[in-house]
Amino acid sequence: FRALKRENSSLDVCKDVFSYYNAESQFKQIKWIDGNVNEIPSLEEGMKDCEKVIHAAAIVSFHKEDREIMCKINVEGTENIVNVALGTGIKKLAYISSIAALGRNLSSNIINEDSKFQISDKEENYVLSKYLSEQEVWRVSQEGLDVVILNPSVILGPGDWTKGSSQIFQKIYNGLKYYTCGSTGYVDVIDVAECTIRLLQSEIKNERFIINGENLYYREVFDMIAEGFNKKKATVEVTPFLQELAWRVELFRGFITGKRPLITKETANSAMTDSSY
């Protein structure tokens, strides 16, 4: 097995996750290739003598200033990967996308694999980057490369609590007073991994699959995590007024301190939205 990592990336969290699942021996079977998705030679080296590829690299951000880097990594990086895969004779590619790439169903809160992406003024830069990334994957599927696209909901699992969706564990552990009325889908990281492998090894090609365990209100998830940590549950509901106030206060705080806002307009809006998958 080969895996691509950036030259200065640490493998410590990855090792910890493998250790958590008692899979140290599997970790030792991985040959790590230094490079990145915007370096064609490193992609060619990584895919050399391989038959199948899993593409899961992306930047997740809801900060407007990250638009350019998300385009560079998420869109151009995906274009590079699928082009190299096509050129080096890879038999099949699995792309880990996101439910974000499906956009919103403007006529219903329920979204499925047949939902059509509709660009609106509510779409975040991250959402657009994932949608455009998928277009590159669909393109090479018409040029001869077998692909499958997975659209997981919010992925939860062990790892670094300071990044991604796992940050919610840290916030609740430290004491979270507020909850929002919105809802979304959640899925275990192991289920995402298993679905990826099964689809990659199957005869299925050129299809997409939503990978979702359960649709839950944010408060339900917050309560379950708090109970698991034996911490106090969030008791204050965020009203539309508090929502609008929160992201503006965070924007001002970031302007004064030079630190990134913990809440953006995009994440505040998302937290108040009901979505089912």
Side-chain angles (χ1 to χ4, degrees):
F1 301 98
R2 293 182 179 182
L4 187 75
K5 75 173 188 69
R6 286 169 294 169
E7 184 177 359
N8 297 322
S9 292
S10 171
L11 293 175
D12 292 344
V13 173
C14 189
K15 288 180 181 178
D16 288 343
V17 171
F18 272 74
S19 177
Y20 177 84
Y21 289 110
N22 297 314
E24 292 90 342
S25 59
Q26 286 93 328
F27 181 83
K28 294 178 181 178
Q29 296 177 32
I30 301 172
K31 178 180 179 181
W32 294 93
I33 306 294
D34 286 339
N36 68 61
V37 295
N38 294 116
E39 290 182 1
I40 302 297
S42 67
L43 297 178
E44 293 173 336
E45 173 65 20
M47 295 185 203
K48 185 179 179 181
D49 299 325
C50 292
E51 293 186 349
K52 298 176 181 179
V53 170
I54 298 172
H55 170 31
I59 286 181
V60 181
S61 174
F62 296 95
H63 296 277
K64 291 183 178 180
E65 59 267 29
D66 288 335
R67 177 179 181 177
E68 185 175 341
I69 188 66
M70 280 194 289
C71 180
K72 185 71 176 177
I73 301 299
N74 298 359
V75 184
E76 292 182 25
T78 298
E79 179 184 7
N80 293 334
I81 287 172
V82 297
N83 285 345
V84 171
L86 186 65
T88 54
I90 294 296
K91 293 182 178 179
K92 193 172 185 180
L93 178 140
Y95 175 51
I96 310 298
S97 184
S98 167
I99 51 172
L102 298 171
R104 296 178 175 86
N105 189 330
L106 301 182
S107 60
S108 169
N109 289 333
I110 300 175
I111 299 169
N112 59 32
E113 286 98 342
D114 297 322
S115 296
K116 302 298 182 183
F117 185 87
Q118 301 178 59
I119 295 179
S120 71
D121 57 2
K122 294 183 178 180
E123 303 305 343
E124 302 92 353
N125 290 322
Y126 171 69
V127 172
L128 291 172
S129 77
K130 296 302 287 187
Y131 169 73
L132 293 173
S133 299
E134 283 194 2
Q135 301 316 297
E136 293 297 332
V137 179
W138 291 128
R139 172 181 59 81
V140 293
S141 74
Q142 300 302 306
E143 296 176 5
L145 178 63
D146 291 346
V147 305
V148 286
I149 292 180
L150 290 83
N151 298 91
S153 51
V154 177
I155 301 174
L156 298 178
D160 187 348
W161 279 7
T162 67
K163 298 178 180 178
S165 53
S166 294
Q167 292 180 79
I168 190 60
F169 291 107
Q170 186 71 64
K171 291 177 181 178
I172 293 174
Y173 185 83
N174 291 337
L176 185 65
K177 297 179 180 179
Y178 301 93
Y179 68 90
T180 61
C181 60
S183 64
T184 190
Y186 296 86
V187 64
D188 190 298
V189 66
I190 289 297
D191 291 334
V192 177
E194 183 174 351
C195 289
T196 304
I197 297 301
R198 287 192 182 191
L199 285 170
L200 202 58
Q201 295 176 341
S202 74
E203 297 299 317
I204 297 170
K205 64 179 181 179
N206 304 341
E207 292 188 43
R208 78 154 77 251
F209 295 86
I210 290 176
I211 311 298
N212 183 43
E214 191 171 0
N215 298 303
L216 296 167
Y217 286 101
Y218 291 113
R219 187 178 188 182
E220 292 179 278
V221 176
F222 293 0
D223 284 353
M224 284 190 285
I225 296 174
E227 289 174 1
F229 287 144
N230 196 27
K231 297 288 185 177
K232 289 184 179 180
K233 297 179 181 179
T235 57
V236 181
E237 180 178 354
V238 176
T239 63
F241 173 76
L242 284 177
Q243 170 214 355
E244 293 295 328
L245 180 64
W247 71 262
R248 286 177 169 84
V249 169
E250 275 297 303
L251 184 65
F252 180 73
R253 185 189 68 85
F255 177 77
I256 296 299
T257 64
K259 296 181 179 179
R260 284 194 160 193
L262 298 174
I263 303 170
T264 66
K265 182 179 180 180
E266 289 80 6
T267 56
N269 289 336
S270 178
M272 303 292 283
T273 302
D274 278 324
S275 297
S276 297
Y277 301 89

